[in-house]
C-alpha cells in the first residue's frame, strides 16, 4: 500500500473514531463501559498491561517497553508495581510527582517518550477512549458536571468516584449556553497528542529571569478585557499553559530540579490536592500524571536544600540505573546503529559485544564476595552459567550494592566512539579491535572522567581485549573444525562409545582385531579437560551424557555433534588443539602454498556463511588469531 493510501486510511479511521453527543449520551457510554471514566494514572497502568506481561526467571517483563528499553526489567517492574499500580488504585502515591533519577543516557527520557507515544496510540483504542466537555481548552472530565451533593448518589448508581470541580470557564458556559441543563452539555471523544497539545504536556526550564509562570498555568488575554470587563472573567483568560493542556493525561518536566522555586512550589497543591491556581479564579482541578527526570548529582543538591523539604515529601524517586547485562547492552548499540545512518556499515561479530563488556565493567562495583572478581560478576549478571554459582549467589551480589549501575560509561559515548572508528578507518567494515582502540583513544578526550576513573577504564579495556582474544580463538576454532566436520563426528562417536562402555562397565571391541579393550580413559579425559571437567566430576559428566543419549534414543532422534553444547565445545577445543599447528602455519604464512591457501579460503567461507563476517573482517580475524597463537 502506498504512503498516500495509508494517510487516507488514517484520516478515515480518525473520522470513524470521532464521537459527539450530550452529557446524557455520555452517561449511557460509562454505564456500559465504566473504564472510560478512569483516572490518568489508571489509564497509564492499563495501557502498560494491555501490551502484555510475562514472567521470566521470576522477573516480570512488560512488552510495552519490548524493543526499546533493554536490561532494565527490574527497574521497570519496580516503577510499574510500586508507582503506577497503586496509583491506578487511587492510593496516595498518585498524589506524588514521579521523578526518574539516573545517569545520563540511561533511558529516563526514552521511558517518558514511550509513555507519551503509547498514550497517543492508546486513546485511539476502545479500552483507552477519553471523553471531554466539548470546546473546553483543558479537555475537562464531563463528570465534573455532576454537582457535589449528588456524587454519592452517582457512585451508588454507576460505581464511579468523581474527583474535582467544574472549571470556571465551563461553569459559566453551563449557565449561559445551556441554562444550567447539565444533561444537554456537549461531550466529545478526544485523542491525546503532544503536537496538538491534547492530554500531553512538556515543560522545559529556560532562563529563570525570562520564564513566566503563564507557561504553566495560562495567562490573561488582555485583548478581551474591554469586551468582558474584568480580569476575573474566565472568557478573558487563556487556559493554554502546559498544566492546562496536559489535563487528563501526563505532564513531563524536563530537568525539573533546574526549575525556579516559584515553578516548583506551584506543583504542591497540584500533586496533593489535584488542583492549581491560575489567574483570579478559584483553584482549578486537574487530573494528570506528573513525571520528571534528573541526574543523581542534581537530586542530591535538591534534597540538601531545606527549603525544598515540602516538595521533597511529594516526590517518589525511581532510580533508573544503567543496564548491567552485557548481552542487553549489545542490543542497545545495535538499535542505536540501526536508527542511524551507519546501518550500511558492516560491524564484525563480537565488535559490539566487546564494547558492551567494557561498558558493563565500568558500571559494576568490585564484589565483596570471596572468589568472585568483576569479570565473573559480569558473566553471572549476564545469565551465563558458571560452575559453583547459582541464582542465590547472584542475588547476594546484587544486595552488596543496591544502587549499582548509577555510574560508568554511557551508551552514547560508545556509539560516538564507534562512529569515530568508522570515519577514521574509511572502510565499510570495522572489527572489535577497531572499537576497543576508539574507546581507548576517546578516554583521553573525555573531560568529565577523573584521572582515577581513566586509569580504571583503561584497565577494563585491557580486560575486554583479553575477553575478545578468547572469543576470537573460539571463532576461528569453530570455523576450522567446521572444515573438519567429519573428524569432529568421528571423535564424538569414539567418545560416546567409550562413555557408554565406562558407565555400563563394559568393554569395547577393536574394529580391526576384534580384541576386547577397556574404555580409553586417556581419550575421554583429553576431551573433558578442554571444558574444565575435573577428575572428581568426570563420572557425573559421563552419566549426564549417557542420560541425554538415552533420551534421544527413546524419542527416535539421533544424538549428534550439536545435541549437547558443552560436549560440542569440548570436541571443538580438542580438535583445535590438535589442529593448532596447522592454524598457526595457515594464518601466519606470508606466502601460503596451495594447500594452505585452500584451507584459508575454506575457513573464510565458513566465517562468512556461518558466522556473519564479511571477507574483510574474516581475513582480519584470521590474521589476528594467527598472531595470538604465534606469541
Amino acid at each position: 500500500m502506498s504512503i498516500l493510501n495509508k494517510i487516507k486510511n488514517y484520516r478515515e479511521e480518525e473520522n470513524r473514531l470521532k464521537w459527539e453527543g450530550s452529557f446524557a449520551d455520555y452517561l449511557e457510554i460509562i454505564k456500559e463501559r465504566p473504564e472510560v471514566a478512569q483516572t490518568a494514572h489508571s489509564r497509564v497502568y492499563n495501557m502498560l498491561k494491555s501490551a502484555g506481561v510475562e514472567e521470566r526467571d521470576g522477573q516480570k517483563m512488560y512488552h510495552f517497553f519490548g524493543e526499546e528499553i533493554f536490561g532494565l526489567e527490574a527497574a521497570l517492574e519496580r516503577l510499574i508495581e510500586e508507582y503506577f499500580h497503586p496509583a491506578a488504585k487511587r492510593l496516595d502515591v498518585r498524589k506524588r510527582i514521579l521523578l526518574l533519577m539516573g545517569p545520563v543516557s540511561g533511558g529516563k527520557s526514552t521511558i517518558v517518550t514511550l509513555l507519551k507515544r503509547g498514550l497517543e496510540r492508546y486513546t485511539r483504542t476502545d479500552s483507552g477512549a477519553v471523553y471531554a466537555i466539548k470546546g473546553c481548552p483543558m479537555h475537562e472530565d464531563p463528570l465534573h458536571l455532576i454537582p457535589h451533593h449528588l456524587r454519592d448518589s452517582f457512585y451508588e448508581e454507576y460505581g464511579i468516584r468523581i474527583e474535582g470541580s467544574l472549571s470556571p470557564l465551563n461553569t459559566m458556559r453551563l449557565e449561559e449556553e445551556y441554562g444550567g441543563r447539565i444533561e444537554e452539555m456537549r461531550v466529545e471523544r478526544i485523542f491525546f497528542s503532544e503536537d496538538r497539545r491534547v492530554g500531553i504536556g512538556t515543560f522545559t526550564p529556560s532562563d529563570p529571569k525570562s520564564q513566566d509562570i503563564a507557561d504553566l498555568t495560562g495567562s490573561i488575554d488582555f485583548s478581551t478585557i474591554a469586551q468582558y470587563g474584568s480580569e476575573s472573567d474566565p472568557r478573558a483568560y487563556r487556559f493554554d499553559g502546559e498544566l492546562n493542556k496536559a489535563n487528563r493525561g501526563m505532564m513531563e518536566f524536563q530537568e525539573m530540579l533546574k526549575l525556579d522555586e516559584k515553578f516548583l512550589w506551584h506543583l504542591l497543591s497540584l500533586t496533593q490536592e489535584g488542583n492549581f491556581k491560575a489567574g483570579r479564579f478559584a483553584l482549578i482541578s486537574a487530573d494528570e500524571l506528573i513525571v520528571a527526570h534528573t541526574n543523581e548529582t542534581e537530586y542530591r543538591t535538591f534534597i540538601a536544600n531545606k527549603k525544598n523539604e515540602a516538595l521533597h515529601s511529594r516526590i517518589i524517586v525511581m532510580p533508573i540505573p544503567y543496564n548491567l547485562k552485557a548481552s542487553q547492552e549489545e542490543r542497545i548499540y545495535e538499535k542505536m546503529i540501526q536508527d542511524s545512518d551507519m546501518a550500511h556499515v558492516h560491524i564484525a561479530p563480537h565488535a559490539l559485544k566487546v564494547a558492551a563488556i567494557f561498558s558493563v565493567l565500568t558500571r559494576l562495583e568490585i564484589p565483596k564476595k570471596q572468589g568472585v572478581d568483576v569479570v565473573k560478576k559480569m558473566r553471572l549478571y549476564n545469565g551465563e552459567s558458571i560452575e559453583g554459582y547459582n541464582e542465590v549467589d547472584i542475588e547476594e551480589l546484587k544486595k552488596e550494592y543496591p544502587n549499582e549501575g548509577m555510574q560508568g560509561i554511557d551508551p552514547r559515548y560508545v556509539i560516538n566512539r564507534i562512529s569515530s572508528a568508522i570515519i577514521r578507518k574509511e572502510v565499510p567494515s570495522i572489527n572489535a579491535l577497531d572499537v576497543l582502540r576508539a574507546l581507548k583513544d576517546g578516554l583521553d578526550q573525555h573531560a568529565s572522567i577523573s584521572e582515577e576513573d581513566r586509569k580504571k577504564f583503561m584497565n577494563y579495556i585491557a580486560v575486554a581485549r583479553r575477553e575478545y582474544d578468547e572469543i576470537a580463538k573460539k571463532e576461528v576454532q569453530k570455523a576450522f573444525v567446521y572444515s573438519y566436520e567429519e573428524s569432529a563426528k568421528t571423535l564424538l562417536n569414539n567418545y560416546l562409545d567409550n562413555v557408554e562402555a565406562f558407565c555400563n562397565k563394559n568393554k569395547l571391541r577393536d574394529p580391526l582385531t576384534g580384541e576386547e579393550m577397556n574404555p580409553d580413559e586417556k581419550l575421554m579425559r583429553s576431551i573433558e579437560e578442554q571444558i574444565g571437567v575435573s577428575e572428581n566430576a568426570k563420572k557425573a559428566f559421563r552419566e549426564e551424557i549417557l542420560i541425554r543419549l538415552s533420551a534421544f534414543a527413546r524419542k527416535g532422534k539421533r544424538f549428534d555433534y550439536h545435541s549437547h553444547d558443552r560436549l560440542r565445545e569440548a570436541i571443538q577445543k580438542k580438535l583445535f588443539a590438535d589442529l593448532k599447528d596447522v592454524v598457526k602455519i595457515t594464518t601466519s604464512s606470508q606466502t601460503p602454498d596451495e594447500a594452505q591457501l585452500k584451507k584459508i579460503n575454506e575457513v573464510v567461507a565458513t566465517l562468512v556463511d556461518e558466522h556473519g563476517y564479511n571477507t574483510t573482517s574474516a581475513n582480519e580475524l584470521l590474521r589476528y588469531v594467527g598472531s595470538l597463537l604465534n606469541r
Side-chain angles (χ1 to χ4, degrees):
M1 188 185 292
S2 72
I3 189 66
L4 291 176
N5 284 333
K6 287 181 179 178
I7 291 170
K8 182 183 174 185
N9 287 350
Y10 182 84
R11 187 169 60 247
E12 289 172 354
E13 175 67 6
E14 196 158 71
N15 288 331
R16 186 187 68 79
L17 290 173
K18 283 179 182 175
W19 180 92
E20 183 183 329
S22 66
F23 181 66
D25 297 329
Y26 174 66
L27 289 182
E28 291 301 315
I29 291 174
I30 62 171
K31 186 173 281 187
E32 290 180 25
R33 292 158 51 214
E35 70 276 5
V36 165
Q38 62 192 329
T39 62
H41 288 84
S42 178
R43 189 173 294 110
V44 173
Y45 178 64
N46 288 329
M47 172 190 75
L48 294 169
K49 278 203 312 179
S50 68
V53 188
E54 68 173 286
E55 196 157 315
R56 198 182 303 161
D57 301 324
Q59 187 88 64
K60 281 188 179 176
M61 315 284 284
Y62 287 85
H63 295 173
F64 179 85
F65 299 102
E67 295 304 310
E68 299 292 335
I69 302 283
F70 304 109
L72 294 182
E73 292 82 11
L76 291 171
E77 182 180 2
R78 184 182 170 196
L79 170 64
I80 294 166
E81 294 303 320
E82 292 186 20
Y83 181 79
F84 286 119
H85 192 181
K89 301 295 184 187
R90 295 178 186 261
L91 291 170
D92 224 40
V93 293
R94 72 196 171 102
K95 297 178 180 178
R96 309 286 181 268
I97 296 169
L98 173 62
L99 179 64
L100 305 180
M101 181 190 69
V104 295
S105 191
K108 305 183 298 295
S109 300
T110 305
I111 289 169
V112 176
T113 301
L114 288 173
L115 290 173
K116 291 195 290 190
R117 298 294 84 80
L119 275 173
E120 290 177 342
R121 293 190 303 272
Y122 190 58
T123 56
R124 298 175 63 85
T125 66
D126 289 342
S127 53
V130 185
Y131 295 81
I133 295 173
K134 188 178 182 190
C136 174
M138 285 184 57
H139 333 293
E140 189 166 7
D141 185 348
L143 294 182
H144 285 182
L145 290 163
I146 302 287
H148 284 273
H149 67 278
L150 292 178
R151 291 186 178 181
D152 287 341
S153 301
F154 181 84
Y155 178 69
E156 288 173 15
E157 186 176 346
Y158 287 85
I160 297 169
R161 287 189 175 88
I162 304 172
E163 294 177 357
S165 301
L166 196 62
S167 66
L169 180 62
N170 286 324
T171 300
M172 177 176 279
R173 288 178 60 208
L174 177 62
E175 291 303 320
E176 294 197 355
E177 296 177 28
Y178 297 95
R181 294 185 299 277
I182 291 170
E183 66 277 10
E184 293 180 10
M185 193 107 176
R186 303 303 289 172
V187 175
E188 64 178 348
R189 182 173 178 181
I190 60 170
F191 308 102
F192 288 178
S193 168
E194 186 173 20
D195 294 339
R196 296 175 186 173
R197 301 188 75 212
V198 178
I200 296 174
T202 303
F203 189 82
T204 306
S206 58
D207 180 6
K209 293 176 183 176
S210 62
Q211 192 150 37
D212 191 350
I213 198 71
D215 295 343
L216 272 184
T217 61
S219 60
I220 296 166
D221 184 354
F222 288 101
S223 66
T224 61
I225 296 294
Q227 181 183 352
Y228 297 117
S230 169
E231 290 183 15
S232 61
D233 190 308
R235 293 169 299 182
Y237 195 85
R238 292 193 186 101
F239 293 90
D240 60 355
E242 291 301 319
L243 291 180
N244 306 108
K245 295 299 182 182
N247 187 32
R248 312 293 300 288
M250 75 178 274
M251 170 78 187
E252 176 192 8
F253 277 90
Q254 296 180 348
E255 303 298 339
M256 186 188 85
L257 302 184
K258 289 179 181 174
L259 283 169
D260 188 69
E261 282 182 10
K262 65 181 178 182
F263 291 88
L264 292 175
W265 290 115
H266 214 80
L267 300 177
L268 287 177
S269 67
L270 178 59
T271 52
Q272 193 62 39
E273 309 299 334
N275 50 44
F276 62 93
K277 192 79 174 73
R280 298 180 180 178
F281 307 115
L283 291 168
I284 296 173
S285 297
D287 171 30
E288 52 198 85
L289 157 67
I290 299 177
V291 59
H293 39 92
T294 190
N295 61 50
E296 193 170 7
T297 305
E298 283 179 358
Y299 176 69
R300 299 295 170 209
T301 304
F302 172 75
I303 60 172
N305 186 344
K306 294 293 182 185
K307 289 197 296 184
N308 294 327
E309 282 183 353
L311 190 61
H312 180 228
S313 68
R314 289 169 170 82
I315 292 175
I316 285 189
V317 180
M318 284 290 165
I320 305 295
Y322 282 132
N323 156 60
L324 297 178
K325 294 180 180 176
S327 58
Q328 295 296 311
E329 187 73 10
E330 196 176 348
R331 292 182 70 191
I332 294 173
Y333 302 151
E334 286 169 356
K335 182 180 182 300
M336 292 172 93
I337 288 169
Q338 287 303 317
D339 291 345
S340 73
D341 292 336
M342 299 191 297
H344 66 285
V345 176
H346 173 77
I347 296 176
H350 310 296
L352 299 183
K353 181 176 184 175
V354 172
I357 288 171
F358 163 71
S359 297
V360 170
L361 286 173
T362 69
R363 300 167 188 171
L364 294 175
E365 302 287 349
I366 302 300
K368 299 172 186 173
K369 191 176 177 69
Q370 197 170 3
V372 181
D373 60 15
V374 72
V375 175
K376 195 174 282 184
K377 183 179 185 178
M378 175 202 68
R379 288 180 176 152
L380 287 168
Y381 276 16
N382 201 40
E384 295 175 35
S385 178
I386 297 179
E387 195 172 345
Y389 296 92
N390 54 34
E391 284 296 323
V392 175
D393 296 298
I394 297 171
E395 288 306 313
E396 284 178 8
L397 287 170
K398 288 178 179 176
K399 284 174 185 173
E400 286 181 352
Y401 301 98
N403 294 322
E404 193 170 39
M406 299 301 276
Q407 296 177 334
I409 288 292
D410 66 277
R412 283 196 199 114
Y413 170 79
V414 175
I415 289 298
N416 291 345
R417 299 314 302 160
I418 291 172
S419 305
S420 171
I422 290 167
I423 292 163
R424 185 172 55 219
K425 201 173 178 190
E426 293 183 343
V427 293
S429 171
I430 61 166
N431 59 37
L433 296 176
D434 297 322
V435 171
L436 286 174
R437 201 176 297 115
L439 289 170
K440 184 179 178 183
D441 294 345
L443 290 176
D444 294 328
Q445 305 157 23
H446 206 305
S448 62
I449 295 179
S450 67
E451 189 56 37
E452 183 185 349
D453 281 345
R454 186 174 284 108
K455 287 177 182 174
K456 187 168 71 172
F457 293 171
M458 284 290 191
N459 179 52
Y460 287 144
I461 285 175
V463 173
R465 169 75 175 268
R466 290 196 293 273
E467 291 292 303
Y468 176 65
D469 289 351
E470 292 305 310
I471 291 168
K473 283 190 277 190
K474 282 182 183 176
E475 201 82 326
V476 172
Q477 166 190 312
K478 283 190 288 186
F480 265 85
V481 172
Y482 185 85
S483 301
Y484 287 90
E485 188 77 29
E486 287 306 313
S487 303
K489 288 176 183 174
T490 303
L491 185 57
L492 173 70
N493 288 331
N494 284 345
Y495 176 77
L496 293 176
D497 288 342
N498 280 279
V499 163
E500 204 166 359
F502 171 85
C503 292
N504 294 329
K505 296 184 172 56
N506 292 335
K507 289 188 179 291
L508 290 165
R509 194 172 293 280
D510 189 302
L512 295 176
T513 64
E515 291 179 54
E516 285 193 337
M517 306 178 299
N518 288 322
D520 190 340
E521 185 64 22
K522 188 177 178 183
L523 170 71
M524 289 187 286
R525 291 302 295 141
S526 70
I527 291 170
E528 292 156 359
E529 284 169 353
Q530 301 295 329
I531 51 170
V533 176
S534 66
E535 184 71 25
N536 291 333
K538 70 180 183 182
K539 186 171 183 290
F541 181 75
R542 291 170 190 177
E543 286 172 347
E544 181 200 330
I545 296 294
L546 193 61
I547 290 167
R548 181 75 65 91
L549 197 63
S550 303
F552 269 70
R554 281 201 311 276
K555 294 175 184 175
K557 293 181 181 178
R558 180 178 173 77
F559 187 96
D560 63 19
Y561 180 60
H562 302 283
S563 300
H564 192 285
D565 290 340
R566 290 193 73 206
L567 182 55
R568 181 178 72 230
E569 184 186 349
I571 296 288
Q572 287 174 347
K573 284 186 172 180
K574 169 63 177 161
L575 269 182
F576 190 62
D578 296 343
L579 291 170
K580 195 169 280 188
D581 291 337
V582 179
V583 177
K584 281 185 187 179
I585 296 166
T586 308
T587 55
S588 60
S589 177
Q590 294 295 318
T591 53
D593 59 31
E594 191 176 335
Q596 290 170 345
L597 198 58
K598 184 183 177 188
K599 176 53 65 181
I600 288 173
N601 290 337
E602 283 177 3
V603 173
V604 166
T606 300
L607 288 168
V608 171
D609 297 341
E610 302 293 327
H611 300 291
Y613 290 81
N614 67 2
T615 307
T616 304
S617 58
N619 278 297
E620 287 171 344
L621 178 72
L622 280 176
R623 284 195 296 274
Y624 181 62
V625 171
S627 71
L628 288 177
L629 294 175
N630 282 314
R631 284 176 192 172

